[in-house]
Amino acid sequence: MSGTKRAHVIGGSLGGLLAAHLLRAAGWDAVVFERNEEELASRGVGLGTHPQLIAILKRAGVDFDESMGITPPRGVCLDGSGKIIIEQPMARTLSGWARLYGALRDALPADSYRLGKRLTRVTQDADSVTAMFADGGSERGDLLIGADGVRSAVRAQYLPHVEPVYAGYVAWRAVLDEAQVPRELWREVVELYAFCLPEGEQCISYAVPGRDNDTAVGRRAYNIVWYHPTDRDTLIDICTDAEGRHHAAGIPPLLIRPDVIARIKADAKALLAPQIATIFVRTAPFFQPIYDLVSPRLVFGRAVLAGDAAFVARPHAGAGTTKAALDAACLADSIRDAGDLDSGLLRYERIQQPFGQAIVELNRQEGLYLSAQIKAKTARTAAELHRDIGAVLHAHIARSDQIGDIVAAHGLTGHV
Ligand SMILES: Cc1cc2nc3c(=O)[nH]c(=O)nc-3n(C[C@H](O)[C@H](O)[C@H](O)COP(=O)(O)OP(=O)(O)OC[C@H]3O[C@@H](n4cnc5c(N)ncnc54)[C@H](O)[C@@H]3O)c2cc1C
């Protein structure tokens, strides 16, 4: 291809930023359009990493050094009394969404990241694609990447019948500055990757970089992700604010009703290990409903889907950002290596569609037990009624390696 081609990336989160960086490295002029009016840096909590994500961040110009993540030496499972019942070495590096966002955002020229630009529609002709925005503006380019997340406007236009499927549970998320964690709990849980697995629940907690992206002891933050079965009626109730408005696409954390927060804190005290409950009740927790989403196609002329807009995997293996990074790398490399844009995009779809599907399935397997909890007991299988805690913990830890196996099986190793 000759001349500088222009790519418009819709969505300025991690997937969009990675796509913009890698396309720029391949010689494109890539500009990001984000609907939010303000920088997203205050968003996000803990985020699991994989070696593939770290390698692709490097390609995007971000060196993932020791200041970017924390690697607890051991995984432990705590029972309801707080006793360690399983202990096993593990090496998973946990970072923070804001830490990665800041590094990728800072490395992009200021005029290549536009805030307050909500895409409403895409139009195409034989050799261009135009993004239309809610503010009345439009941008014409050679390629449009829909990296606009689970409720993607780009996907809604091209695949209107493909919608996220609710998995039957939510993830309650809580973060507390380490300085506010009672000191006696530092060695006991903050230094570890801790599981609580009460019947029908899954709670994982670990330290992440703190407020100023600090990984020094005492300045980190403690991150809790608690997968909690929640039937549809209850989901509607907890997504309804104090004014009676229902937020179907997810309720903003500040609008969660006080009675909902009080109830989950009471549940935490009743269900979780006391160390974790002690931390949880000191936070302002919020929740995210868990979904599965598989797009059967990723390319629509000159518009393509990437990241969570294309596939949403349950977060158990923490693979969402790694998958978004692999989408970005495969897209940029396929376009660079192909003789023409159409063949490059088709190659991208041929590789990333089955890959995305495999990542969704891997994570769905881990969450099947949680999904089953909203079924009547008589409708559950023996495995759904009782599970082996050791097997859950070992399978969870093994899933990180399985990401590498899936990457290799889909021929993606060369993009890392
Ligand atoms: C509970 C939970 C825990 C998670 N934990 C992890 C983890 O540990 N590790 C991990 O790798 N991943 C994790 N994820 C997933 C991760 O957050 C995403 O998969 C990853 O960041 C890739 O997202 P994305 O950039 O494709 O989409 P998103 O992060 O959803 O970003 C989409 C962006 O598009 C913007 N946008 C939307 N519509 C428009 C529009 N019309 N016009 C312009 N802009 C628009 C949005 O404002 C947003 O900034 C977790 C997810 C959940 C729910």
Side-chain angles (χ1 to χ4, degrees), residues 11 13 15 34-36 47-48 117 119 148 173 288 308 318 320-321:
S13 172
E34 165 58 44
R35 71 176 166 191
N36 279 288
L47 183 132
K117 300 294 287 184
L119 178 107
D148 49 348
R173 310 212 63 177
Q288 293 164 287
D308 279 7
T321 305

Side-chain angles (χ1 to χ4, degrees), residues 10-16 33-36 40 43 46-49 53 92 97 117-120 147-153 171 173 206 225 227 288-290 306-309 315 318-322 324:
I10 309 303
S13 172
L14 300 182
F33 297 91
E34 165 58 44
R35 71 176 166 191
N36 279 288
L40 312 178
R43 243 183 64 166
L47 183 132
T49 70
L53 172 62
R92 179 110 199 267
W97 185 93
K117 300 294 287 184
R118 184 168 69 81
L119 178 107
T120 50
D148 49 348
V150 57
R151 305 276 169 194
S152 166
R173 310 212 63 177
Y206 44 80
V225 189
Y227 300 105
Q288 293 164 287
I290 299 301
D308 279 7
T321 305
T322 299

Side-chain angles (χ1 to χ4, degrees), residues 275-297:
Q275 301 94 315
I276 306 300
T278 299
I279 299 174
F280 188 86
V281 298
R282 289 170 190 231
T283 68
F286 63 96
F287 65 89
Q288 293 164 287
I290 299 301
Y291 297 103
D292 296 311
L293 178 118
V294 172
S295 293
R297 289 176 55 203

Side-chain angles (χ1 to χ4, degrees), residues 35-373:
R35 71 176 166 191
N36 279 288
E37 303 279 343
E38 284 162 20
E39 291 289 344
L40 312 178
S42 61
R43 243 183 64 166
V45 279
L47 183 132
T49 70
H50 296 89
Q52 297 80 6
L53 172 62
I54 290 171
I56 293 171
L57 282 167
K58 198 173 174 63
R59 283 188 54 184
V62 172
D63 267 325
F64 192 95
D65 58 29
E66 277 181 7
S67 74
M68 296 187 92
I70 293 170
T71 311
R74 283 175 297 142
V76 296
C77 183
L78 304 166
D79 72 8
S81 73
K83 200 169 83 201
I84 294 180
I85 48 171
I86 301 177
E87 190 162 356
Q88 127 149 21
M90 59 174 287
R92 179 110 199 267
T93 300
L94 292 320
S95 186
W97 185 93
R99 185 73 174 101
L100 298 191
Y101 171 80
L104 288 165
R105 171 75 184 88
D106 291 348
L108 206 62
D111 67 344
S112 299
Y113 191 94
R114 316 255 173 94
L115 289 164
K117 300 294 287 184
R118 184 168 69 81
L119 178 107
T120 50
R121 188 125 197 107
V122 181
T123 59
Q124 305 198 37
D125 58 27
D127 41 35
S128 73
V129 53
T130 300
M132 323 279 280
F133 296 99
D135 62 5
S138 65
E139 296 280 348
R140 189 161 175 266
D142 301 288
L143 176 65
L144 180 139
I145 294 119
D148 49 348
V150 57
R151 305 276 169 194
S152 166
V154 180
R155 190 189 68 241
Q157 180 173 334
Y158 292 105
L159 295 172
H161 304 300
V162 175
E163 296 214 15
V165 179
Y166 177 54
Y169 55 100
V170 303
W172 276 94
R173 310 212 63 177
V175 189
L176 191 65
D177 288 344
E178 190 175 4
Q180 290 175 39
V181 174
R183 237 195 135 88
E184 65 274 16
L185 297 184
W186 280 14
R187 291 277 307 278
E188 211 175 328
V189 289
V190 177
E191 305 292 334
L192 305 170
Y193 189 92
F195 292 80
C196 292
L197 299 170
E199 198 63 53
E201 312 275 337
Q202 186 183 100
C203 178
I204 297 173
S205 45
Y206 44 80
V208 293
R211 237 173 238 284
D212 300 319
N213 292 324
D214 207 329
T215 51
V217 172
R219 301 172 70 85
R220 302 170 294 188
Y222 197 64
N223 179 81
I224 300 174
V225 189
W226 175 14
Y227 300 105
H228 186 54
T230 301
D231 64 33
R232 279 180 190 280
D233 289 345
T234 309
L235 181 66
I236 290 172
D237 174 54
I238 64 178
C239 287
T240 302
D241 65 23
E243 309 293 322
R245 270 179 318 222
H246 176 237
H247 300 261
I251 184 165
L254 291 175
L255 294 185
I256 301 174
R257 296 192 319 268
D259 63 294
V260 173
I261 301 278
R263 207 167 348 145
I264 196 66
K265 287 189 175 180
D267 285 350
K269 286 189 197 156
L271 292 168
L272 303 181
Q275 301 94 315
I276 306 300
T278 299
I279 299 174
F280 188 86
V281 298
R282 289 170 190 231
T283 68
F286 63 96
F287 65 89
Q288 293 164 287
I290 299 301
Y291 297 103
D292 296 311
L293 178 118
V294 172
S295 293
R297 289 176 55 203
L298 306 182
V299 175
F300 311 89
R302 286 166 176 262
V304 307
L305 298 175
D308 279 7
F311 294 91
V312 176
R314 303 182 191 191
H316 301 289
T321 305
T322 299
K323 196 200 79 66
L326 283 154
D327 286 350
C330 179
L331 178 65
D333 295 349
S334 300
I335 294 172
R336 182 198 58 204
D337 297 343
D340 62 279
L341 184 58
D342 288 344
S343 331
L345 296 182
L346 284 179
R347 180 169 189 278
Y348 165 73
E349 181 173 72
R350 217 170 38 240
I351 299 173
Q352 292 310 100
Q353 202 286 332
F355 170 70
Q357 212 164 324
I359 294 287
V360 171
E361 185 51 28
L362 177 78
N363 286 281
R364 206 178 68 85
Q365 287 301 324
E366 178 154 345
L368 283 180
Y369 174 85
L370 292 158
S371 294
Q373 302 305 312

